[in-house]
Amino acid sequence: MYRYVFLLFSVSMAAGMESGIIGGKEAEPHSRPYMASLQRNGHHTCGGMLIREDFVLTSAHCLNRSDYSGQKHLEVVLGAHNISQKEKSQQRIQVKKYIRHPLFENQNNVKDYSYDIMLLKLKTKARLNTFVEVIPLPKKNEKTLALVKCSIAGWGMKNKNEIKPSSVLHEVSLKLQFSSECKIKWQESFSSERNICTISDGIRAFCRGDSGSPLVCESELLGIAAYTYPNDCTKKDYPEVFVKIPAFLAWIKKKMK
C-alpha cells in the first residue's frame, strides 16, 4: 500500500502539488497583512508570507527547474484580499533571486519534500502599512505539541474538484497531529525533525492553489503548506504535511544576510 501511495505522491508532486483552502470561510479583508500571492504571468500559483521587507518565504516546489534557471515570470502580490481586482492596497513586486533549499532537489531531479522551503529576494522593498506587514519568524526550534489549534489562509480552490483559485482570501482552522501518527501514514516521506502535520477530518483542508501558505499556531508562525494525499486533499486517513519553519531558522537567517 505504501509503495502505491508514494508512487501517486511522487507523480502528483512532479506536476506541482499546489494547495488551497477547503471547508473554511472568507477571511476578514487585510486581517493577515503578511500574506503574499505568488503569480506567474498574472495568474495565482502559490501562497507565501512576507518575513522581511525584501524577503518572502514559500515552498520550493512552487518553482520548477526551468523557472529556477531562467528566474522569470514570477512576481509577488502583497496587500491583497481580492486578487482578481486591482485593489489600491496591492503592491506588485518582481522577484530578484530564488533561494531554494539545496537539499530539496538533487541533480537527478529527485525531490525531498521535507526540505520544501524557498526564499524569494524581492527587487524592491515592500512598503509597510496597514495592508502590508511582516510576520515575525519563530524565536527558536521548540518541540511542537499535538492538538494545538492553528489556522491557514490562501487563495486556492475552495473545492477539491475546482480548477480555478479563489478570488478572495479564505482561511480555515486546523489542529496539529502527533508526529508519530504522521510518520506511520507517510513513512519515509515524512521527517519528524523537519515536518509537522494536521489532523485530517475529511472536511477542512488545504488543497490546490496555495502551497507555501503559512500555518499560524497560537499567533506564532510555525509551518509552510507542503503536500496532501494525491488527488484527494480531504482524505481522512492521511494528515496534511507542512515544513516546520523553526527547523530552518539558521538557514533562513543566513540566506537573508
Side-chain angles (χ1 to χ4, degrees):
M1 173 62 182
Y2 168 70
R3 291 181 182 274
Y4 175 67
V5 169
F6 186 75
L7 176 60
L8 279 176
F9 169 73
S10 300
V11 171
S12 178
M13 292 303 295
M17 185 59 181
E18 291 138 357
S19 53
I21 303 301
I22 292 179
K25 62 179 182 179
E26 181 177 344
E28 181 181 344
H30 311 295
S31 59
R32 298 172 184 260
Y34 50 80
M35 286 295 302
S37 168
L38 276 55
Q39 299 189 5
R40 183 177 288 109
N41 297 327
H43 299 286
H44 175 83
T45 181
C46 276
M49 66 217 80
L50 187 69
I51 59 171
R52 206 172 78 180
E53 292 96 324
D54 54 347
F55 274 98
V56 165
L57 188 63
T58 187
S59 295
H61 79 257
C62 290
L63 195 74
N64 59 41
R65 185 175 286 276
S66 60
D67 286 332
Y68 182 71
S69 60
Q71 298 192 4
K72 60 183 180 180
H73 301 315
L74 193 63
E75 66 178 354
V76 170
V77 180
L78 303 170
H81 178 67
N82 190 328
I83 56 174
S84 68
Q85 298 177 356
K86 293 183 178 180
E87 301 166 316
K88 292 182 179 180
S89 58
Q90 293 180 9
Q91 297 179 36
R92 287 183 172 269
I93 306 175
Q94 292 185 330
V95 177
K96 179 180 181 180
K97 187 177 182 181
Y98 304 93
I99 309 171
R100 292 202 299 181
H101 196 285
L103 297 180
F104 171 66
E105 183 177 11
N106 65 22
Q107 294 300 317
N108 296 319
N109 297 332
V110 176
K111 298 177 177 65
D112 183 345
Y113 288 89
S114 68
Y115 291 97
D116 191 8
I117 185 170
M118 175 171 64
L119 281 164
L120 302 178
K121 169 71 173 176
L122 305 181
K123 282 191 175 182
T124 58
K125 289 185 177 181
R127 301 184 307 277
L128 302 185
N129 53 38
T130 304
F131 310 105
V132 177
E133 285 288 347
V134 169
I135 185 170
L137 290 169
K139 293 180 174 61
K140 53 185 177 179
N141 189 8
E142 296 180 334
K143 184 177 180 180
T144 54
L145 301 176
L147 306 182
V148 169
K149 187 176 180 180
C150 305
S151 66
I152 183 173
W155 289 274
M157 292 68 175
K158 294 177 290 183
N159 184 296
K160 64 183 180 180
N161 297 318
E162 291 182 358
I163 59 174
K164 291 183 179 181
S166 170
S167 294
V168 298
L169 186 68
H170 275 72
E171 61 186 4
V172 68
S173 295
L174 303 168
K175 284 186 179 180
L176 292 184
Q177 177 61 283
F178 293 96
S179 289
S180 57
E181 291 294 322
C182 307
K183 189 68 177 178
I184 289 172
K185 292 297 182 180
W186 287 108
Q187 300 189 28
E188 285 87 350
S189 61
F190 183 88
S191 166
S192 299
E193 178 186 355
R194 296 181 294 276
N195 293 132
I196 51 177
C197 72
T198 52
I199 295 172
S200 303
D201 63 2
I203 300 173
R204 292 175 288 271
F206 68 85
C207 200
R208 295 180 301 277
D210 268 333
S211 291
S213 292
L215 181 73
V216 178
C217 302
E218 297 183 334
S219 301
E220 184 170 287
L221 178 62
L222 189 60
I224 305 172
Y227 61 86
T228 66
Y229 189 85
N231 303 319
D232 189 357
C233 41
T234 56
K235 191 173 180 64
K236 206 170 181 181
D237 295 336
Y238 282 84
E240 300 192 305
V241 181
F242 300 77
V243 168
K244 185 180 177 183
I245 293 175
F248 293 92
L249 286 176
W251 178 79
I252 292 171
K253 292 176 181 179
K254 179 181 178 181
K255 294 303 178 181
M256 289 201 305
K257 286 184 179 179

